[in-house]
Amino acid sequence: MNAPLKAIDGNADLPALMNDLAIRARAAARTLALASPEQKNQALDAIERAIRAHAAEILAANAEDVAEVRASGATSAFIDRLTLTPARIDAMADGVATVRAIADPVGIVTESWQRPNGMTIERVRVPLGVVAVIFESRPNVAADAGVLCLKSGNAVILRGGSDSFRSCRAIHTCLVEGLREAGLPEAAITLVPTRDRAAVGLLLGGLNGGVDVIVPRGGKSLVARVEAEARVPVFAHLEGVNHVYVDHAANLEMAKSIVLNAKMRRPGVCGAAETLLVDRAAASANLKPLVQMLIDAGCEVRGDDAVQRADSRVKPASDEDWDTEYEDAIIAAKVVDGVSEAIAHIHDHGSHHTDAIVTDDEATARKFLNEVDSAIVLHNASTQFADGGEFGFGAEIGIATGKFHARGPVGAEQLTSFKYRVHGTGQTRP
């Protein structure tokens, strides 16, 4: 399986290369914006088949990436985010199929009204144009971002991390194969063919108007750099300092199941819980079983005085722990005086990503859902459902934690803007 773009490193003419990529992507975006749903779905069908057919090549490329980062001393959580397995490749292909099956968002009239002068005004969804996605470690983002942008009529420039370089090239080849089969421009999904970090700075500069929006998908330092340097709009994806609050009215067995899944299913994903809050009113019954369960499952617990008293294995929590996204089998735990103090703690220390309450009290759940200002708020469910696939979007580019345009999982619909179409019968303004 040959990569469609030749990999380059240390290219002296990188600005010219990146500008050329942007010019090609801009031209492809114009074509995609007018492509029929059937043609885009034909490409998605071919991409799904290509991913399944070339799974062995993708796994081989990924194995080289994993071996390289393992030798560099990367953490187990980082390695997990980077690693592809047959099951994860199947899930990637399944996600493509789900994206293909969802309604095409382009051209949908979301509102329509008539003015007193007889003019009809419509608000209609349109693509954003050229999306630049800058991501780290997770190679599946290349597929997710590529197919979501395709479905929403956008061209995309993908800049993966150097650690997933080979994996992304193998996946990108499948994406291009699908575009080619459907007769769509290959530049509709472009992978930056270099590990040179200067490419990120060029993308952030907008490539002379070639980029319409940037989506960062990675750690806090990457997102901070993007927000500080970007000359074009950004879909912010901040860290996931996520909380699970176990109310006094929670079913303990349900709470144990949710807390364990929220923290330990995949500790390195952005939807993993990082802080456990337990209602003091039922701490005597709930705290010790929850803490013991986590520690016995291999999770380090850092807690306040009450949590430390519940189990001698608990380590003291520092002030920094309440603001930390561990991305590892570590959780901070605290006893709070009811739902109001839990909400206040989340307000002070959360990242507006994903927070959950476990309770059988509907009024308490309603208060939590209404007052916690996060992109995703859950009642009696794990924070690990913070995922576009789990929302029925097929895939996601990321979880947007800002408040403009897109919030929560960024799927195909969130990758569109809108314009107004006005139909008249000769009206002029007095």
Side-chain angles (χ1 to χ4, degrees), residues 243-250 254-255 258 277 338-339 342-343 346 354-369 372 377-383:
H243 302 73
V244 178
Y245 166 60
V246 179
D247 184 56
H248 73 275
M254 179 190 290
I258 288 173
L277 303 174
V339 67
I343 293 169
I346 293 169
T354 301
D355 298 290
I357 181 173
V358 185
T359 185
D360 288 340
D361 187 312
E362 289 296 329
T364 300
R366 191 160 50 248
K367 178 181 177 66
F368 187 92
L369 295 173
V372 171
V377 193
L378 307 102
H379 172 210
N380 288 347
S382 169
T383 59

PDB file of all heavy atoms in Angstrom, residues 243-250 254-255 258 277 338-339 342-343 346 354-369 372 377-383:
ATOM      1  N   HIS A 243     -15.560  15.204  36.572  1.00  0.00           N
ATOM      2  CA  HIS A 243     -15.963  14.814  37.922  1.00  0.00           C
ATOM      3  C   HIS A 243     -17.106  13.816  37.903  1.00  0.00           C
ATOM      4  O   HIS A 243     -17.972  13.880  37.029  1.00  0.00           O
ATOM      5  CB  HIS A 243     -16.421  16.034  38.718  1.00  0.00           C
ATOM      6  CG  HIS A 243     -15.384  17.109  38.845  1.00  0.00           C
ATOM      7  ND1 HIS A 243     -15.026  17.926  37.786  1.00  0.00           N
ATOM      8  CD2 HIS A 243     -14.633  17.504  39.902  1.00  0.00           C
ATOM      9  CE1 HIS A 243     -14.089  18.772  38.192  1.00  0.00           C
ATOM     10  NE2 HIS A 243     -13.845  18.542  39.471  1.00  0.00           N
ATOM     11  N   VAL A 244     -17.116  12.939  38.912  1.00  0.00           N
ATOM     12  CA  VAL A 244     -18.301  12.139  39.225  1.00  0.00           C
ATOM     13  C   VAL A 244     -18.695  12.472  40.659  1.00  0.00           C
ATOM     14  O   VAL A 244     -17.890  12.316  41.587  1.00  0.00           O
ATOM     15  CB  VAL A 244     -18.044  10.629  39.093  1.00  0.00           C
ATOM     16  CG1 VAL A 244     -19.311   9.858  39.493  1.00  0.00           C
ATOM     17  CG2 VAL A 244     -17.644  10.263  37.667  1.00  0.00           C
ATOM     18  N   TYR A 245     -19.931  12.951  40.830  1.00  0.00           N
ATOM     19  CA  TYR A 245     -20.455  13.244  42.163  1.00  0.00           C
ATOM     20  C   TYR A 245     -21.427  12.143  42.563  1.00  0.00           C
ATOM     21  O   TYR A 245     -22.414  11.879  41.874  1.00  0.00           O
ATOM     22  CB  TYR A 245     -21.167  14.600  42.177  1.00  0.00           C
ATOM     23  CG  TYR A 245     -22.013  14.823  43.420  1.00  0.00           C
ATOM     24  CD1 TYR A 245     -21.440  14.821  44.693  1.00  0.00           C
ATOM     25  CD2 TYR A 245     -23.390  15.016  43.308  1.00  0.00           C
ATOM     26  CE1 TYR A 245     -22.218  15.007  45.829  1.00  0.00           C
ATOM     27  CE2 TYR A 245     -24.176  15.217  44.437  1.00  0.00           C
ATOM     28  CZ  TYR A 245     -23.585  15.207  45.696  1.00  0.00           C
ATOM     29  OH  TYR A 245     -24.372  15.390  46.818  1.00  0.00           O
ATOM     30  N   VAL A 246     -21.135  11.482  43.689  1.00  0.00           N
ATOM     31  CA  VAL A 246     -21.998  10.431  44.217  1.00  0.00           C
ATOM     32  C   VAL A 246     -22.837  11.027  45.345  1.00  0.00           C
ATOM     33  O   VAL A 246     -22.334  11.329  46.431  1.00  0.00           O
ATOM     34  CB  VAL A 246     -21.178   9.224  44.710  1.00  0.00           C
ATOM     35  CG1 VAL A 246     -22.106   8.151  45.285  1.00  0.00           C
ATOM     36  CG2 VAL A 246     -20.350   8.645  43.553  1.00  0.00           C
ATOM     37  N   ASP A 247     -24.104  11.217  45.061  1.00  0.00           N
ATOM     38  CA  ASP A 247     -25.037  11.852  45.986  1.00  0.00           C
ATOM     39  C   ASP A 247     -25.448  10.877  47.092  1.00  0.00           C
ATOM     40  O   ASP A 247     -25.299   9.654  46.952  1.00  0.00           O
ATOM     41  CB  ASP A 247     -26.266  12.299  45.182  1.00  0.00           C
ATOM     42  CG  ASP A 247     -27.281  13.067  46.002  1.00  0.00           C
ATOM     43  OD1 ASP A 247     -26.890  14.088  46.604  1.00  0.00           O
ATOM     44  OD2 ASP A 247     -28.460  12.654  46.030  1.00  0.00           O
ATOM     45  N   HIS A 248     -26.015  11.431  48.180  1.00  0.00           N
ATOM     46  CA  HIS A 248     -26.448  10.563  49.281  1.00  0.00           C
ATOM     47  C   HIS A 248     -27.591   9.637  48.842  1.00  0.00           C
ATOM     48  O   HIS A 248     -27.793   8.567  49.423  1.00  0.00           O
ATOM     49  CB  HIS A 248     -26.900  11.399  50.486  1.00  0.00           C
ATOM     50  CG  HIS A 248     -28.209  12.091  50.299  1.00  0.00           C
ATOM     51  ND1 HIS A 248     -28.319  13.317  49.679  1.00  0.00           N
ATOM     52  CD2 HIS A 248     -29.480  11.718  50.639  1.00  0.00           C
ATOM     53  CE1 HIS A 248     -29.591  13.682  49.640  1.00  0.00           C
ATOM     54  NE2 HIS A 248     -30.318  12.731  50.220  1.00  0.00           N
ATOM     55  N   ALA A 249     -28.316  10.035  47.793  1.00  0.00           N
ATOM     56  CA  ALA A 249     -29.425   9.221  47.306  1.00  0.00           C
ATOM     57  C   ALA A 249     -29.008   8.288  46.174  1.00  0.00           C
ATOM     58  O   ALA A 249     -29.860   7.768  45.444  1.00  0.00           O
ATOM     59  CB  ALA A 249     -30.571  10.119  46.840  1.00  0.00           C
ATOM     60  N   ALA A 250     -27.722   8.066  46.005  1.00  0.00           N
ATOM     61  CA  ALA A 250     -27.242   7.176  44.950  1.00  0.00           C
ATOM     62  C   ALA A 250     -27.403   5.716  45.353  1.00  0.00           C
ATOM     63  O   ALA A 250     -27.288   5.360  46.538  1.00  0.00           O
ATOM     64  CB  ALA A 250     -25.779   7.466  44.644  1.00  0.00           C
ATOM     65  N   MET A 254     -24.727   0.887  41.697  1.00  0.00           N
ATOM     66  CA  MET A 254     -24.663   1.665  40.468  1.00  0.00           C
ATOM     67  C   MET A 254     -23.496   2.638  40.516  1.00  0.00           C
ATOM     68  O   MET A 254     -22.758   2.797  39.533  1.00  0.00           O
ATOM     69  CB  MET A 254     -25.970   2.437  40.236  1.00  0.00           C
ATOM     70  CG  MET A 254     -25.946   3.297  38.968  1.00  0.00           C
ATOM     71  SD  MET A 254     -27.355   4.423  38.843  1.00  0.00           S
ATOM     72  CE  MET A 254     -28.678   3.257  38.544  1.00  0.00           C
ATOM     73  N   ALA A 255     -23.326   3.298  41.645  1.00  0.00           N
ATOM     74  CA  ALA A 255     -22.246   4.265  41.792  1.00  0.00           C
ATOM     75  C   ALA A 255     -20.882   3.596  41.602  1.00  0.00           C
ATOM     76  O   ALA A 255     -20.005   4.133  40.915  1.00  0.00           O
ATOM     77  CB  ALA A 255     -22.319   4.941  43.156  1.00  0.00           C
ATOM     78  N   ILE A 258     -20.378   2.867  37.866  1.00  0.00           N
ATOM     79  CA  ILE A 258     -20.139   4.075  37.070  1.00  0.00           C
ATOM     80  C   ILE A 258     -18.764   4.663  37.362  1.00  0.00           C
ATOM     81  O   ILE A 258     -18.023   5.027  36.438  1.00  0.00           O
ATOM     82  CB  ILE A 258     -21.254   5.102  37.343  1.00  0.00           C
ATOM     83  CG1 ILE A 258     -22.561   4.647  36.693  1.00  0.00           C
ATOM     84  CG2 ILE A 258     -20.853   6.497  36.826  1.00  0.00           C
ATOM     85  CD1 ILE A 258     -23.761   5.499  37.041  1.00  0.00           C
ATOM     86  N   LEU A 277     -16.292  13.035  43.832  1.00  0.00           N
ATOM     87  CA  LEU A 277     -16.892  13.804  44.925  1.00  0.00           C
ATOM     88  C   LEU A 277     -17.970  12.948  45.573  1.00  0.00           C
ATOM     89  O   LEU A 277     -18.834  12.398  44.876  1.00  0.00           O
ATOM     90  CB  LEU A 277     -17.511  15.106  44.392  1.00  0.00           C
ATOM     91  CG  LEU A 277     -16.558  16.039  43.628  1.00  0.00           C
ATOM     92  CD1 LEU A 277     -17.331  17.211  43.031  1.00  0.00           C
ATOM     93  CD2 LEU A 277     -15.444  16.550  44.548  1.00  0.00           C
ATOM     94  N   GLY A 338     -23.115  17.930  50.082  1.00  0.00           N
ATOM     95  CA  GLY A 338     -24.266  17.955  49.202  1.00  0.00           C
ATOM     96  C   GLY A 338     -23.988  18.459  47.803  1.00  0.00           C
ATOM     97  O   GLY A 338     -22.871  18.824  47.433  1.00  0.00           O
ATOM     98  N   VAL A 339     -25.061  18.496  47.016  1.00  0.00           N
ATOM     99  CA  VAL A 339     -24.941  18.809  45.606  1.00  0.00           C
ATOM    100  C   VAL A 339     -24.479  20.240  45.362  1.00  0.00           C
ATOM    101  O   VAL A 339     -23.748  20.511  44.403  1.00  0.00           O
ATOM    102  CB  VAL A 339     -26.268  18.522  44.871  1.00  0.00           C
ATOM    103  CG1 VAL A 339     -27.369  19.465  45.323  1.00  0.00           C
ATOM    104  CG2 VAL A 339     -26.080  18.595  43.360  1.00  0.00           C
ATOM    105  N   ALA A 342     -20.813  20.320  45.642  1.00  0.00           N
ATOM    106  CA  ALA A 342     -20.243  19.601  44.491  1.00  0.00           C
ATOM    107  C   ALA A 342     -20.238  20.497  43.261  1.00  0.00           C
ATOM    108  O   ALA A 342     -19.233  20.576  42.538  1.00  0.00           O
ATOM    109  CB  ALA A 342     -21.046  18.335  44.212  1.00  0.00           C
ATOM    110  N   ILE A 343     -21.338  21.183  43.015  1.00  0.00           N
ATOM    111  CA  ILE A 343     -21.419  22.092  41.873  1.00  0.00           C
ATOM    112  C   ILE A 343     -20.396  23.216  41.999  1.00  0.00           C
ATOM    113  O   ILE A 343     -19.738  23.596  41.030  1.00  0.00           O
ATOM    114  CB  ILE A 343     -22.852  22.652  41.748  1.00  0.00           C
ATOM    115  CG1 ILE A 343     -23.824  21.534  41.367  1.00  0.00           C
ATOM    116  CG2 ILE A 343     -22.907  23.788  40.723  1.00  0.00           C
ATOM    117  CD1 ILE A 343     -25.285  21.920  41.479  1.00  0.00           C
ATOM    118  N   ILE A 346     -16.948  21.886  41.160  1.00  0.00           N
ATOM    119  CA  ILE A 346     -16.801  21.715  39.713  1.00  0.00           C
ATOM    120  C   ILE A 346     -16.634  23.074  39.035  1.00  0.00           C
ATOM    121  O   ILE A 346     -15.830  23.222  38.107  1.00  0.00           O
ATOM    122  CB  ILE A 346     -18.013  20.943  39.147  1.00  0.00           C
ATOM    123  CG1 ILE A 346     -18.008  19.507  39.682  1.00  0.00           C
ATOM    124  CG2 ILE A 346     -17.998  20.953  37.625  1.00  0.00           C
ATOM    125  CD1 ILE A 346     -19.290  18.739  39.401  1.00  0.00           C
ATOM    126  N   THR A 354     -16.833  17.368  30.867  1.00  0.00           N
ATOM    127  CA  THR A 354     -17.843  16.351  31.152  1.00  0.00           C
ATOM    128  C   THR A 354     -17.909  16.087  32.649  1.00  0.00           C
ATOM    129  O   THR A 354     -16.866  15.840  33.276  1.00  0.00           O
ATOM    130  CB  THR A 354     -17.511  15.030  30.425  1.00  0.00           C
ATOM    131  OG1 THR A 354     -17.442  15.281  29.017  1.00  0.00           O
ATOM    132  CG2 THR A 354     -18.564  13.971  30.691  1.00  0.00           C
ATOM    133  N   ASP A 355     -19.117  16.125  33.209  1.00  0.00           N
ATOM    134  CA  ASP A 355     -19.302  15.870  34.635  1.00  0.00           C
ATOM    135  C   ASP A 355     -20.585  15.071  34.851  1.00  0.00           C
ATOM    136  O   ASP A 355     -21.561  15.232  34.109  1.00  0.00           O
ATOM    137  CB  ASP A 355     -19.353  17.189  35.418  1.00  0.00           C
ATOM    138  CG  ASP A 355     -18.049  17.976  35.283  1.00  0.00           C
ATOM    139  OD1 ASP A 355     -17.034  17.523  35.843  1.00  0.00           O
ATOM    140  OD2 ASP A 355     -18.048  19.005  34.588  1.00  0.00           O
ATOM    141  N   ALA A 356     -20.563  14.213  35.870  1.00  0.00           N
ATOM    142  CA  ALA A 356     -21.678  13.291  36.087  1.00  0.00           C
ATOM    143  C   ALA A 356     -22.139  13.290  37.533  1.00  0.00           C
ATOM    144  O   ALA A 356     -21.338  13.522  38.452  1.00  0.00           O
ATOM    145  CB  ALA A 356     -21.267  11.876  35.680  1.00  0.00           C
ATOM    146  N   ILE A 357     -23.419  13.020  37.723  1.00  0.00           N
ATOM    147  CA  ILE A 357     -23.993  12.823  39.045  1.00  0.00           C
ATOM    148  C   ILE A 357     -24.610  11.437  39.093  1.00  0.00           C
ATOM    149  O   ILE A 357     -25.213  10.973  38.120  1.00  0.00           O
ATOM    150  CB  ILE A 357     -25.062  13.892  39.379  1.00  0.00           C
ATOM    151  CG1 ILE A 357     -25.637  13.660  40.789  1.00  0.00           C
ATOM    152  CG2 ILE A 357     -26.165  13.933  38.333  1.00  0.00           C
ATOM    153  CD1 ILE A 357     -26.570  14.772  41.261  1.00  0.00           C
ATOM    154  N   VAL A 358     -24.456  10.765  40.240  1.00  0.00           N
ATOM    155  CA  VAL A 358     -25.123   9.490  40.481  1.00  0.00           C
ATOM    156  C   VAL A 358     -26.103   9.709  41.625  1.00  0.00           C
ATOM    157  O   VAL A 358     -25.698  10.018  42.758  1.00  0.00           O
ATOM    158  CB  VAL A 358     -24.123   8.375  40.839  1.00  0.00           C
ATOM    159  CG1 VAL A 358     -24.854   7.031  40.969  1.00  0.00           C
ATOM    160  CG2 VAL A 358     -23.015   8.272  39.799  1.00  0.00           C
ATOM    161  N   THR A 359     -27.383   9.588  41.338  1.00  0.00           N
ATOM    162  CA  THR A 359     -28.419   9.795  42.358  1.00  0.00           C
ATOM    163  C   THR A 359     -29.747   9.243  41.865  1.00  0.00           C
ATOM    164  O   THR A 359     -30.000   9.196  40.660  1.00  0.00           O
ATOM    165  CB  THR A 359     -28.586  11.289  42.698  1.00  0.00           C
ATOM    166  OG1 THR A 359     -29.528  11.430  43.773  1.00  0.00           O
ATOM    167  CG2 THR A 359     -29.085  12.096  41.506  1.00  0.00           C
ATOM    168  N   ASP A 360     -30.591   8.828  42.819  1.00  0.00           N
ATOM    169  CA  ASP A 360     -31.955   8.426  42.501  1.00  0.00           C
ATOM    170  C   ASP A 360     -32.938   9.541  42.798  1.00  0.00           C
ATOM    171  O   ASP A 360     -34.149   9.346  42.633  1.00  0.00           O
ATOM    172  CB  ASP A 360     -32.331   7.171  43.303  1.00  0.00           C
ATOM    173  CG  ASP A 360     -31.626   5.924  42.791  1.00  0.00           C
ATOM    174  OD1 ASP A 360     -31.167   5.940  41.625  1.00  0.00           O
ATOM    175  OD2 ASP A 360     -31.529   4.936  43.550  1.00  0.00           O
ATOM    176  N   ASP A 361     -32.434  10.694  43.226  1.00  0.00           N
ATOM    177  CA  ASP A 361     -33.286  11.852  43.526  1.00  0.00           C
ATOM    178  C   ASP A 361     -33.383  12.721  42.276  1.00  0.00           C
ATOM    179  O   ASP A 361     -32.404  13.362  41.875  1.00  0.00           O
ATOM    180  CB  ASP A 361     -32.687  12.636  44.696  1.00  0.00           C
ATOM    181  CG  ASP A 361     -33.591  13.754  45.177  1.00  0.00           C
ATOM    182  OD1 ASP A 361     -34.085  14.530  44.332  1.00  0.00           O
ATOM    183  OD2 ASP A 361     -33.808  13.862  46.398  1.00  0.00           O
ATOM    184  N   GLU A 362     -34.563  12.763  41.667  1.00  0.00           N
ATOM    185  CA  GLU A 362     -34.733  13.484  40.409  1.00  0.00           C
ATOM    186  C   GLU A 362     -34.517  14.982  40.571  1.00  0.00           C
ATOM    187  O   GLU A 362     -33.972  15.644  39.682  1.00  0.00           O
ATOM    188  CB  GLU A 362     -36.121  13.211  39.830  1.00  0.00           C
ATOM    189  CG  GLU A 362     -36.297  11.794  39.294  1.00  0.00           C
ATOM    190  CD  GLU A 362     -35.383  11.495  38.114  1.00  0.00           C
ATOM    191  OE1 GLU A 362     -35.071  12.429  37.346  1.00  0.00           O
ATOM    192  OE2 GLU A 362     -34.967  10.329  37.968  1.00  0.00           O
ATOM    193  N   ALA A 363     -34.944  15.550  41.697  1.00  0.00           N
ATOM    194  CA  ALA A 363     -34.774  16.991  41.918  1.00  0.00           C
ATOM    195  C   ALA A 363     -33.291  17.348  42.020  1.00  0.00           C
ATOM    196  O   ALA A 363     -32.843  18.362  41.471  1.00  0.00           O
ATOM    197  CB  ALA A 363     -35.516  17.420  43.173  1.00  0.00           C
ATOM    198  N   THR A 364     -32.529  16.513  42.719  1.00  0.00           N
ATOM    199  CA  THR A 364     -31.088  16.753  42.840  1.00  0.00           C
ATOM    200  C   THR A 364     -30.407  16.604  41.490  1.00  0.00           C
ATOM    201  O   THR A 364     -29.537  17.402  41.125  1.00  0.00           O
ATOM    202  CB  THR A 364     -30.469  15.774  43.848  1.00  0.00           C
ATOM    203  OG1 THR A 364     -31.094  15.956  45.123  1.00  0.00           O
ATOM    204  CG2 THR A 364     -28.977  16.002  43.996  1.00  0.00           C
ATOM    205  N   ALA A 365     -30.820  15.594  40.740  1.00  0.00           N
ATOM    206  CA  ALA A 365     -30.246  15.402  39.406  1.00  0.00           C
ATOM    207  C   ALA A 365     -30.549  16.603  38.519  1.00  0.00           C
ATOM    208  O   ALA A 365     -29.671  17.087  37.792  1.00  0.00           O
ATOM    209  CB  ALA A 365     -30.808  14.130  38.780  1.00  0.00           C
ATOM    210  N   ARG A 366     -31.771  17.097  38.582  1.00  0.00           N
ATOM    211  CA  ARG A 366     -32.161  18.246  37.757  1.00  0.00           C
ATOM    212  C   ARG A 366     -31.335  19.476  38.109  1.00  0.00           C
ATOM    213  O   ARG A 366     -30.899  20.233  37.232  1.00  0.00           O
ATOM    214  CB  ARG A 366     -33.650  18.514  37.946  1.00  0.00           C
ATOM    215  CG  ARG A 366     -34.250  19.498  36.971  1.00  0.00           C
ATOM    216  CD  ARG A 366     -35.761  19.352  36.884  1.00  0.00           C
ATOM    217  NE  ARG A 366     -36.397  19.349  38.196  1.00  0.00           N
ATOM    218  CZ  ARG A 366     -36.997  18.284  38.748  1.00  0.00           C
ATOM    219  NH1 ARG A 366     -37.023  17.135  38.085  1.00  0.00           N
ATOM    220  NH2 ARG A 366     -37.552  18.368  39.937  1.00  0.00           N
ATOM    221  N   LYS A 367     -31.097  19.693  39.393  1.00  0.00           N
ATOM    222  CA  LYS A 367     -30.280  20.833  39.835  1.00  0.00           C
ATOM    223  C   LYS A 367     -28.864  20.716  39.280  1.00  0.00           C
ATOM    224  O   LYS A 367     -28.303  21.691  38.748  1.00  0.00           O
ATOM    225  CB  LYS A 367     -30.240  20.880  41.367  1.00  0.00           C
ATOM    226  CG  LYS A 367     -29.374  22.004  41.945  1.00  0.00           C
ATOM    227  CD  LYS A 367     -29.387  21.956  43.476  1.00  0.00           C
ATOM    228  CE  LYS A 367     -28.474  23.021  44.072  1.00  0.00           C
ATOM    229  NZ  LYS A 367     -28.958  24.401  43.807  1.00  0.00           N
ATOM    230  N   PHE A 368     -28.285  19.527  39.364  1.00  0.00           N
ATOM    231  CA  PHE A 368     -26.926  19.301  38.861  1.00  0.00           C
ATOM    232  C   PHE A 368     -26.872  19.520  37.348  1.00  0.00           C
ATOM    233  O   PHE A 368     -25.991  20.222  36.827  1.00  0.00           O
ATOM    234  CB  PHE A 368     -26.497  17.874  39.206  1.00  0.00           C
ATOM    235  CG  PHE A 368     -25.060  17.548  38.902  1.00  0.00           C
ATOM    236  CD1 PHE A 368     -24.068  17.707  39.861  1.00  0.00           C
ATOM    237  CD2 PHE A 368     -24.684  17.036  37.662  1.00  0.00           C
ATOM    238  CE1 PHE A 368     -22.740  17.391  39.582  1.00  0.00           C
ATOM    239  CE2 PHE A 368     -23.374  16.723  37.372  1.00  0.00           C
ATOM    240  CZ  PHE A 368     -22.393  16.898  38.340  1.00  0.00           C
ATOM    241  N   LEU A 369     -27.816  18.948  36.619  1.00  0.00           N
ATOM    242  CA  LEU A 369     -27.830  19.068  35.162  1.00  0.00           C
ATOM    243  C   LEU A 369     -28.023  20.509  34.711  1.00  0.00           C
ATOM    244  O   LEU A 369     -27.458  20.940  33.705  1.00  0.00           O
ATOM    245  CB  LEU A 369     -28.930  18.187  34.577  1.00  0.00           C
ATOM    246  CG  LEU A 369     -28.763  16.671  34.756  1.00  0.00           C
ATOM    247  CD1 LEU A 369     -30.005  15.947  34.272  1.00  0.00           C
ATOM    248  CD2 LEU A 369     -27.537  16.156  34.024  1.00  0.00           C
ATOM    249  N   VAL A 372     -24.494  22.808  36.403  1.00  0.00           N
ATOM    250  CA  VAL A 372     -23.109  22.513  36.025  1.00  0.00           C
ATOM    251  C   VAL A 372     -22.894  22.984  34.585  1.00  0.00           C
ATOM    252  O   VAL A 372     -23.559  22.522  33.658  1.00  0.00           O
ATOM    253  CB  VAL A 372     -22.789  21.018  36.158  1.00  0.00           C
ATOM    254  CG1 VAL A 372     -21.415  20.708  35.551  1.00  0.00           C
ATOM    255  CG2 VAL A 372     -22.816  20.603  37.622  1.00  0.00           C
ATOM    256  N   VAL A 377     -23.154  16.913  30.497  1.00  0.00           N
ATOM    257  CA  VAL A 377     -23.504  16.637  31.893  1.00  0.00           C
ATOM    258  C   VAL A 377     -24.375  15.382  31.900  1.00  0.00           C
ATOM    259  O   VAL A 377     -25.344  15.280  31.138  1.00  0.00           O
ATOM    260  CB  VAL A 377     -24.265  17.815  32.535  1.00  0.00           C
ATOM    261  CG1 VAL A 377     -24.332  17.640  34.043  1.00  0.00           C
ATOM    262  CG2 VAL A 377     -23.612  19.145  32.188  1.00  0.00           C
ATOM    263  N   LEU A 378     -24.029  14.419  32.741  1.00  0.00           N
ATOM    264  CA  LEU A 378     -24.705  13.128  32.745  1.00  0.00           C
ATOM    265  C   LEU A 378     -25.354  12.829  34.092  1.00  0.00           C
ATOM    266  O   LEU A 378     -24.839  13.232  35.138  1.00  0.00           O
ATOM    267  CB  LEU A 378     -23.727  11.997  32.420  1.00  0.00           C
ATOM    268  CG  LEU A 378     -22.890  12.102  31.151  1.00  0.00           C
ATOM    269  CD1 LEU A 378     -21.473  12.529  31.473  1.00  0.00           C
ATOM    270  CD2 LEU A 378     -22.874  10.780  30.408  1.00  0.00           C
ATOM    271  N   HIS A 379     -26.448  12.088  34.048  1.00  0.00           N
ATOM    272  CA  HIS A 379     -27.124  11.597  35.245  1.00  0.00           C
ATOM    273  C   HIS A 379     -27.126  10.079  35.176  1.00  0.00           C
ATOM    274  O   HIS A 379     -27.651   9.490  34.227  1.00  0.00           O
ATOM    275  CB  HIS A 379     -28.560  12.140  35.302  1.00  0.00           C
ATOM    276  CG  HIS A 379     -29.389  11.552  36.396  1.00  0.00           C
ATOM    277  ND1 HIS A 379     -30.757  11.397  36.292  1.00  0.00           N
ATOM    278  CD2 HIS A 379     -29.046  11.083  37.630  1.00  0.00           C
ATOM    279  CE1 HIS A 379     -31.223  10.873  37.409  1.00  0.00           C
ATOM    280  NE2 HIS A 379     -30.210  10.667  38.227  1.00  0.00           N
ATOM    281  N   ASN A 380     -26.519   9.450  36.171  1.00  0.00           N
ATOM    282  CA  ASN A 380     -26.469   7.986  36.281  1.00  0.00           C
ATOM    283  C   ASN A 380     -25.856   7.327  35.047  1.00  0.00           C
ATOM    284  O   ASN A 380     -26.372   6.330  34.518  1.00  0.00           O
ATOM    285  CB  ASN A 380     -27.874   7.413  36.547  1.00  0.00           C
ATOM    286  CG  ASN A 380     -28.359   7.708  37.955  1.00  0.00           C
ATOM    287  OD1 ASN A 380     -27.587   8.130  38.819  1.00  0.00           O
ATOM    288  ND2 ASN A 380     -29.643   7.490  38.190  1.00  0.00           N
ATOM    289  N   ALA A 381     -24.756   7.885  34.574  1.00  0.00           N
ATOM    290  CA  ALA A 381     -24.024   7.301  33.446  1.00  0.00           C
ATOM    291  C   ALA A 381     -22.565   7.719  33.532  1.00  0.00           C
ATOM    292  O   ALA A 381     -22.228   8.761  34.104  1.00  0.00           O
ATOM    293  CB  ALA A 381     -24.633   7.735  32.111  1.00  0.00           C
ATOM    294  N   SER A 382     -21.697   6.914  32.948  1.00  0.00           N
ATOM    295  CA  SER A 382     -20.258   7.139  33.002  1.00  0.00           C
ATOM    296  C   SER A 382     -19.826   8.321  32.139  1.00  0.00           C
ATOM    297  O   SER A 382     -20.360   8.535  31.046  1.00  0.00           O
ATOM    298  CB  SER A 382     -19.531   5.878  32.531  1.00  0.00           C
ATOM    299  OG  SER A 382     -18.158   6.111  32.320  1.00  0.00           O
ATOM    300  N   THR A 383     -18.825   9.047  32.610  1.00  0.00           N
ATOM    301  CA  THR A 383     -18.261  10.147  31.830  1.00  0.00           C
ATOM    302  C   THR A 383     -17.597   9.652  30.552  1.00  0.00           C
ATOM    303  O   THR A 383     -17.350  10.442  29.631  1.00  0.00           O
ATOM    304  CB  THR A 383     -17.221  10.933  32.647  1.00  0.00           C
ATOM    305  OG1 THR A 383     -16.165  10.041  33.059  1.00  0.00           O
ATOM    306  CG2 THR A 383     -17.852  11.573  33.883  1.00  0.00           C
TER     307      THR A 383
END
